[in-house]
Amino acid sequence: MQKAWEEIIRYWKNFERVSFDSLNAGASPEELLILESYIGQTLSTKFKDFYEIHNGWGEFIILPHPSKLLSTEEILERWSSLNSIYNNELYDEELNDYQPNFGSDEVKKERWNPGWIPYTQCSRGRDFYCLDFDPTSAGEKGQVMFYSIDVGERLFVAGSFEQWIDDYIDTLSKGLCPRRWQHI
């Protein structure tokens, strides 16, 4: 995962408005263990290796939905908050007719699932890339999905965190940065 971080940093050094001040030091094994304990899941070795190098980055560097990479503390905060919101009976009653866009056979057709662990958050604060620890039988435990609160998308993105990182770096290496980022 060291090489992955080197590629990501090398790419974003080309953009003068991207600050490296919010690139966090690595997560300790204890921080990762605490996160696993609270979410009740075992994180993949690759995810832990990635986070042991840098524990999140406050810049919106994840594309195509400009998102920041959450720290382990922020992951736990977002996950806890989403669980709290969706466990509210009044909230459920207000959304009886809500029909999210379930475009993936690998992701369960639910409003929210505590097995979805957000690790990025978009600039508008309502879209997340999540580790999916409770997929359908067509998916794989630990796959990556895109979750949107308002738009309602629940979409399969990658079979694993490692694949997601590889795809992200491949996108960066091809210069497939969206136009709105070209002037940053």
Side-chain angles (χ1 to χ4, degrees):
M1 287 286 128
Q2 181 66 41
K3 185 176 179 197
W5 269 113
E6 289 170 5
E7 292 293 322
I8 293 167
I9 290 168
R10 182 178 15 260
Y11 179 83
W12 287 106
K13 281 190 174 181
N14 294 319
F15 298 89
E16 61 189 53
R17 287 194 196 159
V18 173
S19 170
F20 289 84
D21 294 342
S22 62
L23 180 59
N24 299 330
S28 69
E30 293 77 22
E31 288 173 300
L32 291 163
L33 189 59
I34 289 168
L35 178 60
E36 287 179 321
S37 175
Y38 275 99
I39 65 173
Q41 302 294 335
T42 301
L43 299 165
S44 73
T45 301
K46 294 296 182 184
F47 184 89
K48 290 189 274 192
D49 290 348
F50 190 79
Y51 267 79
E52 285 177 347
I53 298 167
H54 290 291
N55 186 7
W57 192 355
E59 286 289 320
F60 294 94
I61 55 127
I62 305 300
L63 308 171
H65 307 280
S67 301
K68 66 180 184 171
L69 187 65
L70 300 173
S71 69
T72 53
E73 184 177 326
E74 290 170 319
I75 290 170
L76 187 53
E77 288 170 1
R78 298 310 176 281
W79 177 76
S80 296
S81 176
L82 289 164
N83 283 328
S84 179
I85 290 167
Y86 291 114
N87 283 331
N88 183 332
E89 291 177 19
L90 295 175
Y91 191 79
D92 288 342
E93 289 175 14
E94 293 173 10
L95 297 169
N96 301 2
D97 299 325
Y98 178 76
Q99 294 297 318
N101 173 18
F102 298 114
S104 304
D105 292 335
E106 299 89 347
V107 178
K108 286 190 174 175
K109 296 172 177 21
E110 299 176 346
R111 179 83 171 130
W112 172 250
N113 184 312
W116 299 341
I117 315 301
Y119 64 92
T120 74
Q121 182 175 347
C122 78
S123 55
R124 67 187 204 105
R126 302 180 62 77
D127 302 323
F128 306 88
Y129 284 102
C130 300
L131 298 174
D132 181 0
F133 287 100
D134 191 18
T136 66
S137 59
E140 294 182 41
K141 190 174 184 175
Q143 69 189 12
V144 174
M145 62 173 286
F146 179 74
Y147 172 77
S148 176
I149 291 174
D150 315 310
V151 180
E153 293 179 327
R154 314 288 186 275
L155 303 172
F156 172 84
V157 176
S160 67
F161 179 78
E162 183 177 15
Q163 180 188 355
W164 182 81
I165 287 292
D166 288 346
D167 291 347
Y168 173 65
I169 291 169
D170 188 52
T171 299
L172 295 180
S173 70
K174 290 178 180 173
L176 300 177
C177 187
R179 230 179 235 154
R180 68 177 169 262
W181 287 84
Q182 295 301 325
H183 303 291
I184 291 180

